[in-house]
Amino acid sequence: MKDFNTYLNQTEEIGYVEQVADAIIYVSGLPKVKPEEIVVFETGDFGQVFSIDPELVEILIFSKNSIKPGTRVTRTNEILKIPVGTELLGRVIDPLGNPVETSKPARMPTFSMPMNALPQGIIKRKAITKTLETGVLIVDMAIPLGHGQRELIVGDRKTGKTSFLTRTILNQTKRGNICIYSAIGKKKLDVKKIEEFFKKEGVLDKMVIVASGSEDATGLIYLTPYTAMTISEFFRDQGKDVLVVLDDLSTHAKFYRELSLLGRRFPGRNSYPSDIFYTHAKLMERAGNFKTEKGEASITCLPVAETAQGDLSGYIETNLMSMTDGHLYFDKDLFYLGRRPAINPFLSVTRVGRQTQSNLRREINREIISFLNLYEKMQSFIHFGAELNDNIKATLLTGTRIIQFFSQYTNEVVPINLQIVLFCMLWANLWENKELIAIRADMLNVITAYQTDKKIKD
Ligand code: ATP
Ligand code: MG
């Protein structure tokens, strides 16, 4: 962007800082300022118009530099745009599009897109018909997802949410799709770990990481998911299937609450501002399956929400549930029981994933869910210590096997066709007389054989 004096000459409007409230700055003057316009301070800092009062303009600032009352401000007549392009692949950027790391030569894209674009209308959308493979057995077999679906990842802290997402990204990048991971107000170390993981797996150059740290300016953290969505839209317009992960929106809501309270908005439920639903819904609506000039392309959005004590009825969680097409619930109790991934199939929902399944997979899906239901019921018999007949014993054994079948401790991703073969072998009792551990080893052998044999693809 240009400097203060150039903009001042262009727009010929000047304002003065009157009051500073952390991330929000009150400015007088600037008579023709527009909502969401970018303003520039004498110090070189940028801000965005947050709201306009008759006397003062509220500005949201994107840097942590202290601005003193009396500082001059001018308009730019521009809205917030970020540079987007294929140059971003393999990079870690901040929400304004600046590269965070310095190791890679800084060739930045020249094309830019508006950050706060409106969601596309119904005419440009298509029904969701393609399955999104996560490579995680329990999800692909019991709670399937589709390309263009919005699925909330919800659960307590440290229940394996990020692990599930990184595995899904790994599988999707290996299939040639583009992935955007956005870390909203996370620790620098966590972001670094995620970056190292993808670097090690060799898929970093098929994805973009948008990161803001907990120590960054509140305005910057607030922008993070919008940047991720804008980059996704760029790749969608290139005709690519995109997966965007927003980790996590509970933090985003907290920072937005901070901004609103600083801006003296009316505190609603749990002090969240009344437009928090709108803020998130507008973001979610930008995902979906679209018709583009380069053919059908989708944005699959996986937002994350953190619950407290497994309570699914929190304000932000229920908001997000109502604007997504289902949720995967990561259960703390299952995590403590040693189940990995700790997804609870009974409390998880998918509203569009099933329509993308083939008949065979839908049939298997139905079988698994009804069997797991039966297994849960039968388990209560064990507690009574009652004498079990052979039927119940057999059910319990198969149930244990299926649970074992679903556990994935390492970062292996299992292709869908192999999942079906493996499951059918298990279901047909081909491994009846073997120990459970041996079954697990058997399966891993097949998986590694599959992964090393490059000739077999699908
Ligand atoms: P946070 O609330 O901090 O975001 P989270 O819900 O994203 O946590 P993770 O960080 O993904 O959880 O996982 C927590 C821990 O559980 C990590 O140490 C991770 O290694 C372990 N873990 C999660 N899933 C698996 C798995 N499938 N196999 C082995 N370990 C796992
Ligand atoms: Mg996490």
Side-chain angles (χ1 to χ4, degrees):
M1 287 186 86
K2 291 166 261 176
D3 68 343
F4 177 77
N5 287 323
T6 325
Y7 281 120
L8 185 59
N9 288 338
Q10 258 176 24
T11 57
E12 296 177 335
E13 267 183 50
I14 196 157
Y16 294 92
V17 173
E18 295 288 338
Q19 233 187 77
V20 179
D22 196 43
I24 304 257
I25 293 182
Y26 294 90
V27 173
S28 62
L30 305 179
K32 285 191 199 142
V33 77
K34 288 181 288 206
E36 299 198 350
E37 187 176 336
I38 296 295
V39 295
V40 57
F41 293 87
E42 210 175 357
T43 51
D45 296 297
F46 289 98
Q48 187 183 20
V49 175
F50 201 46
S51 80
I52 304 173
D53 288 347
E55 304 292 320
L56 295 173
V57 185
E58 257 181 42
I59 312 271
L60 175 64
I61 187 166
F62 299 134
S63 56
K64 276 223 135 163
N65 303 345
S66 57
I67 304 274
K68 293 190 184 65
T71 310
R72 291 186 299 159
V73 196
T74 187
R75 292 176 51 203
T76 61
N77 223 351
E78 283 170 23
I79 53 163
L80 193 55
K81 284 184 172 179
I82 55 151
V84 284
T86 44
E87 291 93 338
L88 287 181
L89 291 174
R91 283 181 172 282
V92 183
I93 58 168
D94 76 0
L96 290 175
N98 307 311
V100 171
E101 88 285 43
T102 44
S103 56
K104 245 184 140 179
R107 243 192 83 226
M108 288 313 288
T110 45
F111 179 67
S112 57
M113 273 170 75
M115 188 97 107
N116 230 341
L118 277 180
Q120 297 220 326
I122 191 111
I123 297 168
K124 293 212 171 144
R125 291 180 187 251
K126 279 189 100 169
I128 292 171
T129 48
K130 272 189 293 176
T131 304
L132 179 119
E133 289 189 32
T134 61
V136 178
L137 286 159
I138 190 163
V139 177
D140 286 346
M141 304 214 80
I143 320 141
L145 308 182
H147 273 290
Q149 184 168 355
R150 299 154 300 175
E151 182 89 356
L152 181 68
I153 309 296
V154 60
D156 276 17
R157 48 187 302 272
K158 294 275 169 248
T159 46
K161 300 186 295 296
T162 307
S163 306
F164 165 75
L165 293 167
T166 49
R167 201 178 316 194
T168 307
I169 291 180
L170 191 63
N171 195 20
Q172 283 300 308
T173 45
K174 283 190 174 159
R175 302 186 156 268
N177 296 334
I178 303 285
C179 296
I180 320 287
Y181 179 86
S182 66
I184 306 169
K186 288 222 172 289
K187 285 192 226 103
K188 280 237 161 72
L189 184 68
D190 288 344
V191 179
K192 196 76 201 160
K193 264 193 211 151
I194 287 170
E195 187 194 343
E196 291 297 324
F197 170 78
F198 288 121
K199 205 179 253 170
K200 203 178 93 222
E201 296 286 342
V203 298
L204 193 62
D205 51 354
K206 292 213 188 70
M207 59 181 295
V208 187
I209 300 180
V210 185
S212 58
S214 43
E215 68 290 335
D216 280 337
T218 318
L220 209 59
I221 298 175
Y222 162 70
L223 286 184
T224 321
Y226 297 95
T227 308
M229 204 44 106
T230 310
I231 300 174
S232 314
E233 282 174 347
F234 168 77
F235 284 108
R236 175 206 59 199
D237 292 344
Q238 304 287 310
K240 295 257 201 285
D241 283 327
V242 186
L243 171 73
V244 52
V245 170
L246 311 173
D247 197 359
D248 62 272
L249 285 186
S250 310
T251 318
H252 183 251
K254 278 179 199 141
F255 280 101
Y256 188 59
R257 170 168 69 183
E258 188 181 318
L259 286 180
S260 298
L261 292 178
L262 280 172
R264 293 189 219 127
R265 303 284 158 78
F266 182 74
R269 208 169 132 191
N270 298 346
S271 302
Y272 284 106
S274 46
D275 65 342
I276 187 75
F277 187 93
Y278 169 75
T279 311
H280 283 165
K282 200 174 150 199
L283 196 62
M284 289 300 126
E285 281 304 309
R286 289 165 77 176
N289 195 20
F290 300 93
K291 293 178 216 163
T292 67
E293 281 164 20
K294 303 222 166 111
E296 189 177 332
S298 63
I299 298 177
T300 313
C301 181
L302 300 179
V304 181
E306 197 179 286
T307 53
Q309 301 292 318
D311 178 17
L312 276 174
S313 60
Y315 179 42
I316 299 297
E317 294 87 320
T318 44
N319 267 358
L320 285 168
M321 269 176 209
S322 63
M323 54 183 95
T324 48
D325 309 308
H327 57 266
L328 296 178
Y329 178 52
F330 283 73
D331 200 326
K332 192 177 63 182
D333 297 337
L334 294 184
F335 192 82
Y336 290 154
L337 283 176
R339 295 258 283 270
R340 302 283 186 283
I343 297 173
N344 187 332
F346 304 119
L347 290 179
S348 299
V349 178
T350 173
R351 292 195 192 101
V352 290
R354 291 219 169 85
Q355 78 196 28
T356 69
Q357 287 186 305
S358 61
N359 286 344
L360 173 67
R361 285 184 58 219
R362 200 172 305 141
E363 212 47 53
I364 293 179
N365 183 327
R366 203 169 298 144
E367 204 66 50
I368 290 177
I369 294 288
S370 64
F371 183 82
L372 284 179
N373 258 322
L374 184 72
Y375 172 64
E376 284 289 313
K377 261 187 228 150
M378 295 240 167
Q379 267 193 324
S380 54
F381 290 142
I382 310 179
H383 300 304
F384 295 131
E387 193 144 306
L388 306 174
N389 67 24
D390 288 348
N391 235 338
I392 298 179
K393 271 188 196 150
T395 313
L396 286 174
L397 188 65
T398 320
T400 329
R401 287 200 164 149
I402 290 183
I403 298 292
Q404 290 236 338
F405 172 74
F406 281 150
S407 35
Q408 278 169 288
Y409 287 94
T410 53
N411 272 311
E412 80 220 356
V413 287
V414 191
I416 279 193
N417 289 350
L418 185 64
Q419 290 180 7
I420 296 176
V421 174
L422 284 173
F423 182 79
C424 293
M425 284 165 87
L426 181 92
W427 198 240
N429 263 345
L430 288 185
W431 285 310
E432 194 176 18
N433 299 320
K434 283 199 189 173
E435 287 291 317
L436 287 168
I437 296 166
I439 296 176
R440 181 86 212 158
D442 253 9
M443 290 202 290
L444 276 175
N445 276 341
V446 182
I447 292 165
T448 33
Y450 180 95
Q451 281 172 346
T452 45
D453 191 350
K454 294 210 170 55
K455 276 176 276 170
I456 317 171
K457 273 233 169 111
D458 251 32

